[in-house]
Amino acid sequence: MSAEIIPGLIVRSQSGFFTVQTESGLVTCHLRGRLKQGKHVGDLAAVGDRVQVSCQPDGTGSIETIEPRRSALVRLDPRPQGVYQQVILANPDQAVFVFACARPAPRLRMLDRFLVIAEKQGLAAIIVANKIDLVGREHAEKMFGFYPPIGYPVIYACAKAALPEGHRDGASCGDEPPYVQRDNGAGGAREIGQGVEELRETLTGKVSALAGPSGVGKSSLLNAVQPGLGLAVREISEAFQKGRHTTNVRQLFPLEGGGYVADTPGMRSLALWDTEPEELDGYFPELAALVAACQFNDCRHKSEPGCAVRAAVEAGRVHPQRYDSYLRLRAGEE
Ligand SMILES: Nc1nc2c(ncn2[C@@H]2O[C@H](COP(=O)(O)OP(=O)(O)OP(=O)(O)O)[C@@H](O)[C@H]2O)c(=O)[nH]1
Ligand SMILES: [Mg+2]
Ligand SMILES: [Zn+2]
């Protein structure tokens, strides 16, 4: 008797086992031995991959085939045999990059690098500016307001109120400027809950990668979007995870309104691999529109005469921070 073969989506991966969402529920699978034959430089199967599984009578299954990936978020993991491509999420529809307005202070150069990765993968990118309660919406818009005109929507959010004085929440960052002290009156921030509905609408019906530095409130936001998720936030997870850093779980969470979201750890080291310096301007939408007007077609947009990019920066049509990010990424700085 041959086992039944059914299609599914990998929603969880841990230590060589995969949980596959199929029409008939979740099936725990391993990877067919023959799939592992031959040389491979990265994960063969990953969360987000569409697969065909054969189900055994005992309810377990094996992954028989993996459909080609449309896109992937990849981390490069240097190993003795060479650099290994660890797939953080296969086939995302969009990337949601979360940064905090303060605690920790946003590192927009990191955001710009994430945006380049999304462009290269052909993914729509959305920015969430969280913790607006710490700086106020107006100030938050000053920090992130130049992104929507170049094609990246920004959701201004407050997942939760700041803890009372004496409870330092979030990461304490040495390089962080003093955040604006605000008196929100009794009962916590008036901004609380802002952006949550907008984020929920953005996530519904799609497969999204939620990424951003540690402590910015990614888990808090997801818990606010869908209270049933019960993701551990920093206070708990830090104590809990002592000595558990070898655990490597990747997971897609199903959303009540449809779609999935992945809380992606380790985005800091997301790889921008395989990008030639000359193609980088193509991944900055506001620069890509200008390069055809540069005098030289191999213009580096640095000090060449007749550079349309520099002219636009000087005229205030390209934000100097974005231009700076471009130059640094091009020079190979992270
Ligand atoms: N003031 C303020 N604090 C927030 C907000 N959202 C989250 N926090 C706090 O920020 C800290 C970090 O939140 P998490 O949700 O654990 O952050 P994370 O991005 O999931 O962090 P990692 O899991 O380490 O990547 C916690 O102490 C939260 O209570 C917010 O909107 N405002
Ligand atoms: Mg988290
Ligand atoms: Zn130029």
Side-chain angles (χ1 to χ4, degrees):
M1 197 187 85
S2 64
E4 192 192 1
I5 307 250
I6 50 172
L9 170 73
I10 300 180
V11 294
R12 188 179 155 102
S13 141
Q14 185 177 22
S15 323
F17 284 93
F18 300 94
T19 308
V20 179
Q21 178 74 62
T22 70
E23 274 175 6
S24 36
L26 295 172
V27 184
T28 303
C29 298
H30 65 271
L31 209 54
R32 256 286 179 259
R34 65 176 160 74
L35 289 179
K36 295 187 239 176
Q37 282 163 12
K39 209 166 121 71
H40 54 269
V41 294
D43 290 331
L44 293 170
V47 167
D49 270 323
R50 300 258 162 204
V51 295
Q52 302 280 336
V53 302
S54 63
C55 295
Q56 309 304 324
D58 67 355
T60 66
S62 47
I63 294 173
E64 300 290 339
T65 54
I66 304 155
E67 287 179 25
R69 287 181 193 133
R70 281 183 281 117
S71 59
L73 291 172
V74 171
R75 219 184 86 175
L76 297 186
D77 182 15
R79 295 183 182 177
Q81 322 77 295
V83 178
Y84 186 82
Q85 295 177 13
Q86 205 170 48
V87 176
I88 291 182
L89 182 61
N91 304 319
D93 293 316
Q94 60 185 10
V96 179
F97 298 127
V98 184
F99 282 76
C101 295
R103 294 201 249 165
R107 294 176 51 201
L108 296 186
R109 214 142 61 219
M110 189 194 281
L111 171 58
D112 287 335
R113 196 167 67 87
F114 287 175
L115 292 172
V116 167
I117 291 167
E119 289 291 337
K120 192 172 161 116
Q121 291 294 320
L123 300 175
I126 295 104
I127 298 163
V128 177
N130 191 36
K131 308 200 188 186
I132 57 169
D133 55 306
L134 297 180
V135 300
R137 169 131 190 169
E138 210 174 307
H139 188 69
E141 285 182 12
K142 284 204 182 94
M143 297 165 100
F144 291 90
F146 59 90
Y147 284 103
I150 53 177
Y152 304 114
V154 177
I155 298 175
Y156 295 95
C158 175
K160 57 200 313 189
L163 293 173
E165 264 321 294
H167 286 79
R168 269 291 275 173
D169 71 336
S172 52
C173 275
D175 60 348
E176 170 187 328
Y179 58 91
V180 185
Q181 284 286 354
R182 303 177 67 239
D183 180 13
N184 289 308
R190 58 175 167 250
E191 289 91 352
I192 191 162
Q194 269 191 38
V196 170
E197 183 53 37
E198 201 181 342
L199 179 60
R200 187 182 295 123
E201 281 168 19
T202 299
L203 297 176
T204 298
K206 304 214 169 80
V207 176
S208 309
L210 198 80
S214 187
V216 296
K218 297 181 297 297
S219 303
S220 306
L221 280 164
L222 287 181
N223 285 337
V225 162
Q226 189 161 311
L229 283 176
L231 299 177
V233 303
R234 174 172 283 267
E235 295 89 345
I236 308 152
S237 62
E238 248 178 11
F240 196 60
Q241 280 175 354
K242 278 211 178 80
R244 288 186 26 147
H245 51 271
T246 47
T247 324
N248 190 9
V249 190
R250 306 201 179 287
Q251 195 166 356
L252 271 178
F253 297 100
L255 297 169
E256 278 152 17
Y260 290 90
V261 66
D263 190 358
T264 52
M267 267 295 279
R268 194 182 274 267
S269 51
L270 251 205
L272 180 62
W273 93 103
D274 234 19
T275 304
E276 299 299 329
E278 309 81 65
E279 60 177 309
L280 193 61
D281 52 20
Y283 303 131
F284 281 75
E286 75 276 43
L287 305 191
L290 295 167
V291 295
C294 289
Q295 188 176 331
F296 300 104
N297 63 9
D298 61 348
C299 186
R300 295 159 175 262
H301 322 305
K302 219 174 160 183
S303 47
E304 291 83 352
C307 173
V309 169
R310 269 211 76 94
V313 175
E314 276 153 25
R317 282 180 284 118
V318 163
H319 199 284
Q321 265 171 264
R322 290 278 293 169
Y323 177 60
D324 186 56
S325 288
Y326 164 77
L327 290 181
R328 285 173 188 269
L329 278 173
R330 169 139 194 168
E333 286 176 43
E334 289 290 279

